[in-house]
Amino acid sequence: GKGNHRHYMEKEIHEQPAVIGDTLRSFTDPSSHRLALPDLPFDFAHPETRLQLVACGTAAYACMTARYWFEQLAGIPTSTDIASEYRYRDTPMTSRELGIFVSQSGETADTLAALRHVKAQGRPTLAIVNVAESTAAREADGMLRTLAGPEIGVASTKAFTTQLSTLACLAIGAARERGCLAASREAQLMQAMDEIPARLLQVLDQDQVFRDIASMLAGAGYVLYLGRGAMYPIALEGALKLKEVSYIKAEGYAAGELKHGPIALVDEEVPVIAVAPSDHLFEKTASNLQEVAARGGKVILFSDAAGIAAMGDLPVASVTLPAVDPFVAPILMSLPVQLLAYHTAVAKGTDVDQPRNLAKSVTVE
Ligand code: M6R
């Protein structure tokens, strides 16, 4: 049941500290606190290793986020694609390329077709799934399981953040195998991962702030989400979540693309959600937000205390999130975009758990 929550989506958002903790513990040695992934049937250490990550919807945004981790931490050239495109594109694969398929259900038709396409080329496959008995888990050469537990809400929440947590562990493991991760940095990263559940609880404690911003969004006709680096896929996920459950037209953009089109839509009516922790890209995003504000756009800033202080009174609203290691920031930043979508849908009175036209699992093409 939903316990004391109004909707499954709300319950599942609140379960995230626990299920992320479970997922991380399943990949950690309890005595040493070091990462301990199961044996996987491929070699990350080879200098020619490449990764192709494939999924649909929210799972595809988890893949896009992981690309930053695999490239920046492990130095592995990585491509991501949505399964419906990948399966028909006949992309040539290199001899050291590994296919990674991310799916909550493990039954998404396009993702399975993409997996079979990679297998047919004789390349190894890894499935990251929430349902251990699923087709993807059965057919792939290797499997990592997210421990989100059953997800009932059609809009993915805890499945997404446990996928991110699993992919982050895999990137740390790959970086270690490749010898490009100092033991001290690895310990730091594991510490930052360990602290995620506690940091997420701090975000959940701010529920009222999201309700207030949601009452502002409920009347909007269009909402723009901006993010840079690993926050770009989180902006995409924020927009997807909002459109799925509140039916408000929303788009996510890389902040650097603002000038190349979407700024034409910005006026006094348009809320612009900036997902922007105070990392090495913050200043770039800050200048994009100045451009938004100059056109009357209503900037709503999700950042940490330093980022919010730096923006002064430019935002019409802001949410102060805990400052965390930039590596884990995408996992933390997923929560505010979910809470905002949820409370906006509640304010509009839509069917949060069963949005119109959507199915939980898309098993036909
Ligand atoms: O079961 P899967 O993870 O393969 O499903 C993929 C997408 O259908 C799914 O993430 C969809 O985009 C959700 N409705 C997102 O909230």
Side-chain angles (χ1 to χ4, degrees):
K2 289 179 257 191
N4 51 7
H5 294 286
R6 276 177 71 182
H7 302 98
Y8 280 107
M9 184 179 178
E10 183 184 45
K11 173 174 178 258
E12 289 163 1
I13 287 173
H14 284 259
E15 279 171 356
Q16 288 176 107
V19 296
I20 288 172
D22 293 343
T23 302
L24 294 175
R25 268 190 301 280
S26 76
F27 301 129
T28 312
D29 180 282
S31 52
S32 68
H33 282 272
R34 291 196 70 208
L35 186 74
L37 290 171
D39 276 336
L40 296 170
F42 26 76
D43 175 18
F44 284 107
H46 195 284
E48 304 294 316
T49 294
R50 299 183 70 96
L51 303 178
Q52 175 68 60
L53 277 64
V54 184
C56 297
T58 287
Y61 296 146
C63 293
M64 283 178 74
T65 310
R67 179 183 183 178
Y68 294 86
W69 292 329
F70 286 116
E71 291 186 343
Q72 293 171 359
L73 197 72
I76 307 177
T78 303
S79 306
T80 69
D81 207 346
I82 46 175
S84 55
E85 284 300 312
Y86 182 79
R87 65 180 290 191
Y88 293 118
R89 228 183 43 243
D90 284 330
T91 309
M93 296 189 86
T94 58
S95 62
R96 293 281 171 179
E97 194 158 342
L98 157 68
I100 301 182
F101 303 87
V102 180
S103 175
Q104 187 283 126
S105 62
E107 304 294 347
T108 299
D110 284 324
T111 306
L112 291 175
L115 189 158
R116 289 168 187 153
H117 174 81
V118 170
K119 277 187 84 171
Q121 294 186 64
R123 305 308 315 139
T125 53
L126 170 66
I128 296 179
V129 295
N130 195 42
V131 181
E133 311 73 35
S134 58
T135 308
R138 222 172 30 244
E139 293 192 9
D141 301 305
M143 194 250 285
L144 291 176
R145 186 167 176 208
T146 57
L147 297 181
E151 192 181 63
I152 310 295
V154 165
S156 176
T157 53
K158 62 178 181 168
F160 179 60
T161 50
T162 55
Q163 285 161 355
L164 290 178
S165 304
T166 302
L167 287 159
C169 288
L170 187 63
I172 295 172
R176 182 206 282 170
E177 259 189 62
R178 292 167 74 82
C180 55
L181 187 60
S184 57
R185 179 64 180 141
E186 184 178 337
Q188 226 174 42
L189 291 175
M190 292 310 287
Q191 170 81 23
M193 303 274 280
D194 246 23
E195 288 173 7
I196 294 174
R199 299 287 94 84
L200 293 178
L201 285 170
Q202 285 174 264
V203 181
L204 289 171
D205 277 346
Q206 299 188 63
D207 211 52
Q208 189 56 45
V209 180
F210 295 99
R211 281 174 212 251
D212 294 343
I213 300 176
S215 64
M216 234 159 83
L217 280 206
Y222 171 71
V223 178
L224 179 61
Y225 287 74
L226 297 177
R228 262 180 202 266
M231 295 302 140
Y232 164 41
I234 305 304
L236 295 173
E237 171 63 4
L240 176 65
K241 217 86 297 174
L242 188 73
K243 70 185 105 174
E244 281 188 298
V245 298
S246 79
Y247 311 144
I248 295 172
K249 293 179 193 69
E251 284 182 300
Y253 263 95
E257 277 288 290
L258 183 69
K259 288 194 195 40
H260 301 284
I263 198 158
L265 293 175
V266 173
D267 63 19
E268 298 74 26
E269 306 299 315
V270 175
V272 178
I273 318 280
V275 188
S278 61
D279 57 18
H280 68 297
L281 298 171
F282 183 80
E283 272 183 41
K284 307 275 175 195
T285 305
S287 80
N288 298 130
L289 300 181
Q290 311 273 4
E291 291 156 14
V292 167
R295 281 151 191 89
K298 294 190 280 226
V299 173
I300 296 166
L301 178 62
F302 293 168
S303 188
D304 44 48
I308 285 162
M311 292 309 293
D313 57 11
L314 183 139
V316 297
S318 54
V319 182
T320 311
L321 299 152
V324 294
D325 190 297
F327 182 80
V328 303
I331 304 177
L332 184 89
M333 281 296 188
S334 301
L335 216 72
V337 299
Q338 295 169 355
L339 284 166
L340 189 59
Y342 173 72
H343 286 300
T344 305
V346 169
K348 293 196 69 173
T350 55
D351 187 348
V352 177
D353 286 333
Q354 198 55 257
R356 66 186 184 204
N357 307 338
L358 293 175
K360 180 67 185 161
S361 182
V362 184
T363 55
V364 290
E365 192 175 339

